[in-house]
Amino acid sequence: MSDLDEITPAQTLLDQLSQSSSLEPSQRAQLEHVMRCSPFIQQSLAAEADILDYVLDGCADDFLGDGLEARFARLNGSVDERRALETAAFGRELRRLRRREMILIAWRDLNGIDDTDATLRSLSKLADYCVAEALAYHEHHLQSRFGQPRGPNGEPIGLVVIGMGKLGGDELNYSSDIDLIFAYAEEGETDGNKTISNAEYFIRLGQRLIRSLDEKTGHGFVFRVDMRLRPNGDEGPLAMSFDGLELYYATRGREWERYAWIKARVIAGDQEAGRELMDMLRPFVFRRYLDFGAFSQLREMKRMIEREMTDAAMHNNIKLGPGGIREIEFIGQLFQLLRGGREPELQARRLIPVLAILEEMGELDEHTVADLTAGYDFLRRSENRLQMLYDHQTQTLPDNRFDQLRLAIAMGFEDWGHFLYALDQHRDRIHGHFSEVLRLPSDNDESEEPLEQVWNGLGNVTDRVAILERHGFEQASVLERHLSSWRDTQAPAISGTVAQRLDELMPDLLRDISAYQGQVAILDRMLDLLTAILRRSVYVALLIEQPQARRQLVRLVHGSPWIASLLTQHPILLDELIDPETLYAPPNKTELAQELGELLGKCPHDEERSLDELRRFKQLATLRVAAADVVGALPVMRVSDQLTWIAEVILEAVHQRAREQIEARHGKPRAVNEAGETFTPGLAIIGYGKLGGIELGYGSDLDVVFLHDSTDREAVTDGDRSIDNSLYFARLAQKIIHTLSIRTPAGVLYEVDTRLRPDGVGGLLVSSVNAFAQYQAEHAWVWEVQAMCRARFVGGSNSVGDTFAEIRRQTLTQERDPIELREAVVGMRRKMRANQTETPAGLFHLKRDVGGITDIEFLVQYLLLRHAAEHPEILEFTDNIRQLDSLRDAGLIDAEASDSLIQAYRTLRDAGHHQALLGSRSVVEAQAYEAERQIVIDQWRALVGCLPPGSDGDSTD
């Protein structure tokens, strides 16, 4: 007799079942296949033939819809009838339902009616339903004795049942136990004649619920229940309040618990309260920063599994062994924990959709996702059909030839060898991808690297210094002293996890530093940065897991103390070092606006978070510019363009949100124009100085003026709490300034200067365009008119911006007496020189000193004001370089003068950016820029007719 004959069910049993249920030939074939693949089903049908009719009826039901409720009702009557059962009778009927449903699910799976996904969902739905039924039954009976649990304000409180693991992910396997956590919203007591505390009530309810499901009787069990994932495991309370759970996870939550909560789902009980709990705990699971600690944690979990199992057991376990289900889950969970806080779509509970999202995001390639998806389907089908053999919870391949053949046939193979070959193909591919993603350590790991001896302080100082010298370190003794001092200072205060990560990081970091000059300075900056991130050791993990990011960091810290300081103050920016393609290629203005819009779109009603997102956006965008600047990927003009675009995008976003908030309270401004028509006035933000001149530097303030176009006729907002338009625009401007300048834990956006408005600090914060035009025409000083040369519309209402542009044109094109103009401009420059601190001998202030940036700006502004009446085209631009080009094109200065001034201006501006990145003031060695200074002095003599104030031969009296 062949092995196939040995596992084929007896013909008499097949005939008996076929006749009793009037099976068609196709149904008889399905029955024979199922009974051949599962002794559990064969024994169940032999004992209770009516189960077959239940299965056949179930195949015609809305299986994943309301069919389960209908089938239970047919078994046990209505909800009220089920509630009236004695506890033992209710448990018996729940077990009857479970056995029939498990056979029905196996029938559909083994006969190809359902795919793997539908099978997993069906099993999860069955568990959900049984838990909900048992909970409702015991809740009904417990409340009849103690009443309804209530909170401090008398509100009813219900139990929240959280499904964890595969149940939470709607991926329950065939004979799995179910991992549960019980929670309730608030402490209080019941309202019955006999009162007990909510804690006692829910613990009793949980105990009864578990017993209903887990207790093995003569009718079997429903589901084995595992409560060990709750806080403190078996030693913790069976049910906890929301406050207790939040406190536990905030102060004592462990990393493996974060993994456990990835798939968590409210499966029964108070759904609304459950959603509140899930929102409350989401920050514990999904960090807002990139969590590179997930790499080492998953590797350690994998090693723990391997230590607990023998090689043979590991190989035969399709869940925990190499290339098993757990490795696919680890890959998905790695990226969920790594990026889930930043990418909400990765917070999905089910694995296959997560893999698809990772492919869309470019984290995994198409080939990898295809292998993992196919492998997961094969392994989960194998797992289910292995457990269908005897309804046992196992992931270990059978070791007897009959069960091996049953499993092979269940999986569609003619024999065990063919099944095993296909299985191993999948497992090899999965393990290869797993090893690549988690970068499992190789056997030839360099654990005895001499630089480890330096970091760990092994041997004497002379030996350690010698090792550093052999690795190319200059000032090795100084560097060793700084390193040892820092290590000894930090050691008492850091955790074991941090210490372990530092041991792994520091030798590689030293190796990276050795490639640069100024190694002691680089190390000191790096140690300051490490001090700032030790309490968030995931950033240390990032530098370990992402060598490219670590090398980029060392390169930037070497090139710019300013960048080192920025990263030290805001370590979350370290995430951006991962991708050099984006780090050194700052986005254009349109892309910046889109990026900021997406960030703010995630927190439309969260004011505090939106402030943080604005600041993080500015820091990130500025870091990209600085990084590209350090490596020479951006010319000086693009640096200023980028920094100005960042400010403009932020101003527009802040204006938009401020306007929406004020309009939500007071409505939109309305007014009547000269034609008697009602219109909606707007606010424009006018940029002056470096902002207006598209010449912002690192750390520049924003010089702004606010204008509106409201008239005085019926000028009020249209909301229920109406206010005058003048008050509306004042509040809008104040809100914008507040948002920009308030200091939060994430820093400050910009310092804002509004002193260039009409009448300065004594004037209105917001002027109407008519009042502004009148002031410029009748009251403005020459220096205020000069400032208009670099002023432009940067945000808000476009129509008000157009009006300002016309006012600017009219103001700057007024006829002016050349001699009076020159005296006014030179006098203002002389006054500025007299009020500034004298630069020490031998040094040169790039901006303020003679021949510096300010002198070029004054020269250009003088020429614009002198010639704009006859040549208004020279006013088109607000930046110095294009203004010089316009003066040349208009024939007002020759090409040589224009080119020499432009070159001097660019050189000095570039030096200013460089000094900022070095964390230094704009003071340099005077001799380094003598040529540029002389050009400026010569052009003043030629174009203004005198020397710049402060030059040799110029009187400062």
Side-chain angles (χ1 to χ4, degrees), residues 34-51:
V34 168
M35 292 174 70
R36 178 183 287 133
C37 295
S38 173
F40 158 67
I41 295 178
Q42 184 172 332
Q43 293 162 8
S44 298
L45 293 178
E48 298 181 66
D50 65 322
I51 294 178

Side-chain angles (χ1 to χ4, degrees), residues 173-239:
N173 47 284
Y174 192 77
S175 296
S176 176
D177 56 10
I178 56 176
D179 296 292
L180 304 179
I181 290 178
F182 299 147
Y184 56 94
E186 292 185 281
E187 301 291 359
E189 61 180 20
T190 61
D191 63 4
N193 293 329
K194 182 179 180 181
T195 64
I196 57 175
S197 70
N198 286 357
E200 183 179 354
Y201 173 91
F202 288 118
I203 288 173
R204 290 191 183 194
L205 179 58
Q207 290 168 338
R208 294 187 180 193
L209 172 60
I210 293 169
R211 194 158 50 246
S212 263
L213 300 171
D214 188 87
E215 187 175 40
K216 191 164 187 177
T217 70
H219 300 278
F221 62 93
V222 185
F223 285 97
R224 291 175 296 273
V225 178
D226 191 335
M227 300 294 299
R228 290 176 296 175
L229 292 181
R230 70 184 189 269
N232 295 312
D234 289 337
E235 297 180 0
L238 193 63

Side-chain angles (χ1 to χ4, degrees), residues 322-366:
I325 296 167
R326 181 56 55 85
E327 289 191 354
I328 309 176
E329 293 173 336
F330 274 0
I331 292 173
Q333 289 169 340
L334 167 66
F335 288 102
Q336 287 183 282
L337 291 182
L338 178 66
R339 298 188 178 276
R342 294 275 193 87
E343 309 290 345
E345 59 267 33
L346 282 177
Q347 296 177 15
R349 295 187 310 274
R350 303 182 66 243
L351 179 59
I352 296 302
V354 167
L355 295 178
I357 292 167
L358 291 172
E359 181 182 342
E360 291 176 8
M361 293 172 60
E363 295 291 349
L364 297 176
D365 61 42
E366 180 182 1

Side-chain angles (χ1 to χ4, degrees), residues 104-154:
L104 171 56
I105 290 169
W107 179 288
R108 296 174 65 96
D109 181 79
L110 288 165
N111 285 309
I113 299 171
D114 288 337
D115 61 15
T116 307
D117 181 66
T119 298
L120 301 178
R121 285 180 176 273
S122 300
L123 291 163
S124 302
K125 184 177 177 68
L126 173 62
D128 289 358
Y129 184 81
C130 290
V131 171
E133 279 290 317
L135 175 62
Y137 176 86
H138 291 295
E139 211 166 31
H140 172 76
H141 288 277
L142 205 58
Q143 286 187 16
S144 66
R145 183 178 179 189
F146 297 110
Q148 169 72 50
R150 297 194 178 274
N153 297 320

Side-chain angles (χ1 to χ4, degrees), residues 9 110 143 227 264 337 509 576 667 737 846 894 922:
L110 288 165
Q143 286 187 16
M227 300 294 299
L337 291 182
L509 183 61
E576 302 307 317
I737 294 170
L846 292 163
D894 60 39
S922 297

Side-chain angles (χ1 to χ4, degrees), residues 688 756 772 775-791 804 807-814 816 821 824-825 861-862 864-866 868 875 883:
Y688 278 71
L756 288 173
F772 182 79
Y775 179 87
Q776 296 298 330
E778 301 176 5
H779 305 292
W781 295 83
V782 172
W783 66 265
E784 291 179 290
V785 177
Q786 270 184 260
M788 289 276 279
C789 291
R790 288 159 61 80
F804 166 77
I807 295 171
R808 175 179 180 269
R809 187 194 65 77
Q810 292 177 4
T811 301
L812 297 181
T813 55
Q814 291 180 15
R816 291 180 173 83
L821 174 65
V825 171
Q861 290 160 18
Y862 163 74
L864 292 177
L865 293 177
R866 179 174 176 179
L875 299 176
Q883 287 174 343

